[in-house]
Amino acid sequence: MDNYECRACRSRGGEVVLDMGEQPACDYFPKYDEPGPDPVYPLQMWLCASCGLAQLLTDPTVPAEPRGAEPAALVEQAQDAVARVAAAGLLPAGARVAEYGSPHGGSWLDLLTARGLAPVADGDEADVIIDCFGMMHAADQAAAIAERAARLAPGGTLLLQFHSLAAIVRQGQWNALRHGHYAYYSATALTALLAGAGLRSCAAWRFSLYGGTVLLAACHDGDDRATRGPSETVRELLAEEAHVGITSPALAGGLQREVTAQGDALRGWLTAQRAAGRSVLGYAAASRAVALLCSAGVDADLLPAVVDASPAKRGLRMPGTAIPVVSPEELTAAPPDAVLVFVPDLIPEVRKAYPEIEAAGTVWVDTSALSGGF
Ligand SMILES: [Zn+2]
């Protein structure tokens, strides 16, 4: 670890702020009948003392997530974001657009072509570059931002959307940390990263997605917009982050306490449900559910199955446990007393999708409400 170099600024100074020990790869769902134990790998968040970027320390895993169903909340947020950026005049018809997508889906290209923007070929120059949860998947953050900066035409706009570290910390979302996600951005660290590539933050928009998502617009240093300075929202974000001490190890270190608190709360709640003879199923076989179940030591005796709408996950089990992933039909065939939802953004969607469950008396439970955290 002493030789570890920051993925953004190459500095060697920094520290581990969240240490999950050895965890199974959260994107490798074994077949249900594949015997464990599943291989485990170190999972740690490191905070750079120089540029303030929170990052995944090492990643010995190979990315392999079966692509899940896109949550409606993600699709709705994309529409909202595109409308807001367009209203700011940053998505002119005829502009050339490039997208750096996320392996988990959520492309904005259809929305942008519908507004008259023209997609360019891979590697070509573009007037608008969209990166929606894409860059966090790059192991070399300095190289990733340099590549985007090199493709951005003079006067162009780079739009970077990220799950905010300030929100992760504020809501105790320690299980945002996962293999394959190399960077956990604050507006502060991202602004430093942009500066290293000759780019400047000029505007920002906030969204409630994942408990706190930010879309940051950047332009070249020499651009008119750079000389006008950052927007009110950018200045607010930076001021709020400075106020809470977003680059201080003590702040991110609070996530470590949340691991224990949330694990205890989950296990305690499930144990009480079982003692009361109430049946419970999980919903959403997401990576954060994997981390939560593993750290809480919850297995199939407390949670007999996790429901997931993605056909790609049928016949598989939750990594590190014997808990099977089952289809929504099993939920509707025999509604349990409660369904524990691991992705709170999905709750409005599942209530709408399965009204018969609620009519049968099933309660949807937000995992984040169990410990008052997340
Ligand atoms: Zn750094």
Side-chain angles (χ1 to χ4, degrees):
M1 196 195 306
D2 286 345
N3 286 323
Y4 180 80
E5 267 186 9
C6 172
R7 299 181 185 277
C9 76
R10 312 293 192 218
S11 153
R12 288 171 192 261
E15 62 184 272
V16 171
V17 288
L18 176 57
D19 190 344
M20 296 303 299
E22 306 259 303
Q23 295 288 329
C26 65
D27 58 1
Y28 176 71
F29 286 71
K31 292 223 165 56
Y32 181 64
D33 53 9
E34 192 177 314
D38 301 328
V40 291
Y41 311 89
L43 180 60
Q44 291 144 328
M45 183 188 282
W46 186 87
L47 186 72
C48 178
S50 182
C51 73
L53 182 68
Q55 49 203 283
L56 183 63
L57 187 61
T58 56
D59 190 6
T61 70
V62 180
E65 184 157 17
R67 185 167 289 194
E70 237 163 66
L74 187 64
V75 176
E76 285 159 18
Q77 186 271 342
Q79 290 164 346
D80 181 22
V82 167
R84 286 161 75 178
V85 177
L90 297 178
L91 299 175
R96 297 163 298 166
V97 62
E99 181 176 59
Y100 286 90
S102 156
H104 313 301
S107 173
W108 292 15
L109 270 191
D110 287 347
L111 293 169
L112 297 172
T113 48
R115 285 184 176 269
L117 280 80
V120 297
D122 277 357
D124 282 3
E125 188 175 83
D127 305 302
V128 175
I129 298 181
I130 303 285
D131 188 304
C132 176
F133 305 119
M135 198 163 73
M136 66 192 298
H137 298 91
D140 187 335
Q141 291 287 302
I145 196 69
E147 182 187 332
R148 287 153 179 77
R151 287 183 70 185
L152 188 65
T157 306
L158 170 63
L159 292 158
L160 284 162
Q161 180 163 291
F162 57 97
H163 183 194
S164 148
L165 179 66
I168 290 173
V169 167
R170 188 172 58 241
Q171 295 169 71
Q173 296 168 324
W174 58 269
N175 50 354
L177 177 67
R178 49 157 292 177
H179 294 115
H181 288 179
Y182 294 95
Y184 304 86
Y185 307 103
S186 57
T188 307
L190 189 53
T191 296
L193 182 59
L194 289 164
L199 299 169
R200 198 106 38 117
S201 309
C202 49
W205 298 266
R206 304 180 196 233
F207 303 89
S208 59
L209 185 70
Y210 304 142
T213 290
V214 172
L215 175 62
L216 197 70
C219 58
H220 286 293
D221 264 340
D223 196 296
D224 281 352
R225 282 175 293 164
T227 53
R228 285 202 298 272
S231 74
E232 182 65 32
T233 312
V234 174
R235 282 183 279 132
E236 259 173 35
L237 280 167
L238 296 173
E240 283 171 21
E241 290 182 357
H243 181 71
V244 297
I246 199 71
T247 56
S248 104
L251 185 77
L255 292 171
Q256 192 79 54
R257 289 187 293 279
E258 285 293 320
V259 176
T260 315
Q262 293 174 17
D264 289 352
L266 175 66
R267 208 175 42 256
W269 185 81
L270 286 169
T271 305
Q273 297 298 307
R274 186 178 59 181
R278 289 168 55 82
S279 55
V280 180
L281 291 178
Y283 193 94
S287 60
R288 63 181 110 166
V290 174
L292 182 59
L293 294 172
C294 287
S295 81
V298 167
D299 213 324
D301 57 325
L302 282 176
L303 189 65
V306 172
V307 178
D308 195 279
S310 165
K313 286 181 178 161
R314 296 296 137 68
L316 308 181
R317 61 175 170 78
M318 299 298 285
T321 76
I323 302 172
V325 181
V326 300
S327 75
E329 286 78 59
E330 304 211 17
L331 183 62
T332 46
D337 293 311
V339 180
L340 196 51
V341 184
F342 293 108
V343 180
D345 296 275
L346 284 174
I347 290 179
E349 183 179 341
V350 290
R351 291 187 68 183
K352 217 157 99 188
Y354 314 112
E356 67 274 33
I357 306 283
E358 216 162 328
T362 300
V363 181
W364 297 99
V365 179
D366 178 349
T367 34
S368 60
L370 296 180
S371 61
F374 287 55

